[in-house]
Amino acid sequence: MRHRTLRLLGSLLLVATGLSVTGAAPAQAASPTPLDRVVPAPASVAPGGSPYGLTRGTHIRVDDSRETRRIGEYLASVLRPSTGYRLPVTAHGSGGIRLRLVKGAFGPEGYRLDSGRGGITITATAPAGLFHGVQTLRQLLPAAVEKDSVQPGPWLVAGGTIRDTPRYGWRGAMLDVSRHFFTVDQVKRYIDQLALYKINKLHLHLSDDQGWRIAVDSWPRLASYGGSTQVGGGPGGFYTKADYKEIVRYAASRHLEVVPEIDMPGHTNAALASYAELNCDGVAPPLYTGTEVGFSSLCVGKDITYDFVDDVIRELAALTPGRYLHIGGDEAHSTSHEDYVRFMERVQPVVAKYGKTVVGWHQLTGASPSRGALAQYWGLDGTSAEEKAQVAAAARNGTGVVLSPADRIYLDMKYTADTPLGLDWAGLVEVKRSYDWDPGSYLPGVPVSAIRGVEAPMWTETLTKSDDIEYMAFPRLAGVAELGWSPADTHDWDGYKLRLAAQGPRWEAMGINFYRSPQVPW
């Protein structure tokens, strides 16, 4: 009923005024998007009052601060191509769209959005919150606002107030650039898509058996030789330090923190092939272009292994302003348990030495996670009770947990048996299954306080281009974002699938290649 009332209000307003917000002849009556139709679902919505319509005279008003102006310019860059309006960003005037930072109780990422006939105001305590509020504003405008050519409008935003803060501080997406390499521009494209749904962590899987993707000055063959191929034998590639800095800079401009991963002691064939001395027998294996796992391991007993680890972590930490460095630790099947524990006891302090906090896949809990470390859980519903209990014990002892259950939010899992891309070792994961679970109660024995959030990994054994990434990410990524952001009591599949369906035209306008799941009423 609330949605119907808002639609009727928007229609009556246009009929009553007889005006078009584009300044041209009256357009077909349009209904603004209800305030609660966005993804992720806001924490609190209070609809009411007249909608606001963007016009040629609309200004974007900002506080006299660099961060607020930067967000204002970003918003203008999104809106100008489709509206055709100038939308000057200014610290003066009244009305229009106002962005402001205030001291208050919004937290590091929360915001309030107020909309009415006189204008729109987005208020936050920190720049990240202001940026997230801008993403909500985008979704409240018609989907055509995302197009890169002038559209007819009108550009209405429903009246009322949204108050919004995230449930979890870690809302991540991982991109595997090792199995197949993706360029800086391709990563930027994904970052822009993540930002629309308030994702705040970009986990880059920078090394694996098939490729090493980051330049390391002290070990140059890691990139030049170890990065020279990929799954299937393609040319591979790697990021120079300047490339990586540009990814970090761009992600920061969208308020995403980059979490780099160097997987070890397993998943290391690219490194072992680059430097013979890293192998216990001193013999370098050939480069690997297949998809098997668990066969490689750094030589835990050699001192040079730790010189190598120290150099790599030191150089990567210096490039990474974020708090975290991921050291992998999964599927180390060629490393004995004793050696695995020894390795992690020596490597975790190196991460701390260079000012970063350890993140590892949940197998890290089989060793002794360092103080403050995070364990990224990627198990399945069918993972053994013993393994889950190990994670739970670490969580009760202070280890934070990021949830990435493979049979729920591994974005490379096939939707159905007929999906042309992806894998199915964790099962088939349709949109409902990906969304319909609660991170807060997923792992038995894990305290609610230990759950840091969720992260959606995208492994790329079968993915070679941006269209492939998008097809596997959308629509499931939006659901992961909602699991991480929205209050638990908003989670409802029947309501969510309607809000998700409304994202389809937006993705079409943005040129996103997405899977049109039959579970969603597109």
Side-chain angles (χ1 to χ4, degrees):
M1 179 62 72
R2 181 172 61 183
H3 296 174
R4 191 177 307 153
T5 302
L6 280 171
R7 287 195 292 269
L8 180 59
L9 177 63
S11 299
L12 288 175
L13 178 69
L14 288 175
V15 171
T17 61
L19 296 175
S20 165
V21 294
T22 63
Q28 179 178 349
S31 301
T33 300
L35 295 185
D36 61 358
R37 192 64 64 85
V38 300
V39 177
S44 170
V45 175
S50 301
Y52 174 72
L54 274 68
T55 70
R56 295 190 184 281
T58 296
H59 287 53
I60 297 175
R61 298 168 51 222
V62 297
D63 294 343
D64 190 17
S65 71
R66 181 182 304 174
E67 282 289 353
T68 310
R69 178 168 289 276
R70 184 179 296 129
I71 295 168
E73 293 289 358
Y74 164 84
L75 175 59
S77 73
V78 171
L79 302 182
R80 284 169 180 154
S82 55
T83 64
Y85 301 158
R86 288 180 58 244
L87 299 173
V89 179
T90 176
H92 307 290
S94 60
I97 300 171
R98 185 182 180 192
L99 308 179
R100 65 187 192 126
L101 292 174
V102 300
K103 293 181 179 179
F106 297 106
E109 294 189 283
Y111 66 92
R112 187 180 74 223
L113 185 151
D114 297 292
S115 175
R117 184 192 299 273
I120 295 168
T121 300
I122 302 174
T123 307
T125 301
L130 207 58
F131 185 81
H132 296 324
V134 163
Q135 304 313 311
T136 295
L137 174 58
R138 285 174 69 180
Q139 289 192 37
L140 292 174
L141 286 161
V145 81
E146 307 292 348
K147 293 192 175 183
D148 57 9
S149 59
V150 176
Q151 304 297 309
W155 308 109
L156 295 177
V157 177
T161 297
I162 291 174
R163 291 179 175 85
D164 209 4
T165 54
R167 182 183 184 187
Y168 295 115
W170 189 294
R171 305 177 309 282
M174 189 218 77
L175 182 61
D176 168 18
V177 295
S178 295
R179 271 49 179 273
H180 280 101
F181 180 67
F182 292 89
T183 66
V184 172
D185 284 344
Q186 287 173 312
V187 176
K188 285 182 175 181
R189 178 175 173 83
Y190 198 40
I191 288 170
D192 279 332
Q193 293 162 0
L194 298 175
L196 179 58
Y197 296 98
K198 305 181 177 70
I199 296 295
N200 68 350
K201 299 286 188 291
L202 174 64
H203 170 181
L204 286 177
H205 186 76
L206 292 168
S207 71
D208 213 297
D209 293 314
Q210 299 86 352
W212 185 284
R213 306 303 184 200
I214 182 68
V216 178
D217 294 341
S218 51
W219 298 74
R221 275 176 58 84
L222 289 172
S224 63
Y225 184 69
S228 65
T229 191
Q230 58 189 11
V231 167
F238 66 91
Y239 304 120
T240 65
K241 289 190 170 182
D243 290 336
Y244 180 79
K245 287 180 179 179
E246 176 59 16
I247 290 172
V248 168
R249 182 204 66 80
Y250 194 81
S253 76
R254 271 61 175 159
H255 294 273
L256 277 83
E257 179 181 359
V258 172
V259 180
E261 179 189 354
I262 301 297
D263 205 349
M264 48 189 167
H267 288 278
T268 45
N269 194 81
L272 298 172
S274 301
Y275 288 95
E277 57 267 40
L278 296 177
N279 296 270
C280 287
D281 61 5
V283 178
L287 292 169
Y288 182 68
T289 61
T291 59
E292 295 300 316
V293 299
F295 61 88
S296 60
S297 179
L298 293 170
C299 191
V300 173
K302 276 189 168 183
D303 286 341
I304 194 172
T305 294
Y306 304 99
D307 295 336
F308 161 79
V309 169
D310 192 285
D311 286 338
V312 169
I313 290 177
R314 171 176 50 80
E315 293 195 32
L316 189 54
L319 296 172
T320 304
R323 294 161 287 177
Y324 302 98
L325 198 149
H326 203 303
I327 58 173
D330 63 321
E331 297 175 324
H333 304 321
S334 295
T335 312
S336 70
H337 175 69
E338 180 183 28
D339 279 352
Y340 183 89
V341 172
R342 288 172 55 205
F343 181 83
M344 288 303 178
E345 285 177 349
R346 291 194 63 173
V347 168
Q348 291 183 90
V350 177
V351 176
K353 180 171 75 169
Y354 293 112
K356 303 302 177 187
T357 298
V358 168
V359 187
W361 299 107
H362 74 262
Q363 284 76 14
L364 177 65
T365 61
S368 296
S370 60
R371 183 177 179 83
L374 302 182
Q376 186 169 357
Y377 180 80
W378 60 272
L380 320 175
D381 282 358
T383 294
S384 72
E386 180 182 1
E387 191 169 352
K388 291 178 179 178
Q390 178 178 283
V391 176
R396 290 192 296 272
N397 201 36
T399 299
V401 178
V402 175
L403 291 168
S404 299
D407 55 346
R408 298 284 184 170
I409 57 173
Y410 264 33
L411 298 181
D412 57 299
M413 290 298 108
K414 290 176 177 287
Y415 296 99
T416 71
D418 297 327
T419 304
L421 300 167
L423 304 173
D424 61 4
W425 60 264
L428 302 175
V429 184
E430 250 287 7
V431 178
K432 182 178 180 181
R433 178 169 180 79
S434 186
Y435 174 81
D436 207 10
W437 61 286
D438 177 21
S441 59
Y442 181 76
L443 272 180
V446 173
V448 171
S449 60
I451 303 298
R452 298 292 184 267
V454 294
E455 181 175 297
M458 177 76 79
W459 302 100
T460 62
E461 288 94 336
T462 68
L463 314 179
T464 62
K465 54 187 183 294
S466 288
D467 269 3
D468 296 347
I469 292 173
E470 291 163 14
Y471 186 79
M472 301 307 285
F474 293 94
R476 290 180 293 196
L477 179 70
V480 177
E482 178 148 310
L483 288 169
W485 180 279
S486 303
D489 62 9
T490 67
H491 293 175
D492 170 65
W493 168 251
D494 288 336
Y496 171 70
K497 69 182 179 183
L498 300 178
R499 288 184 289 112
L500 182 61
Q503 298 296 307
R506 190 167 305 275
W507 296 339
E508 290 172 350
M510 296 174 72
I512 293 176
N513 180 39
F514 67 97
Y515 166 63
R516 289 164 173 79
S517 169
Q519 296 182 340
V520 179
W522 306 104

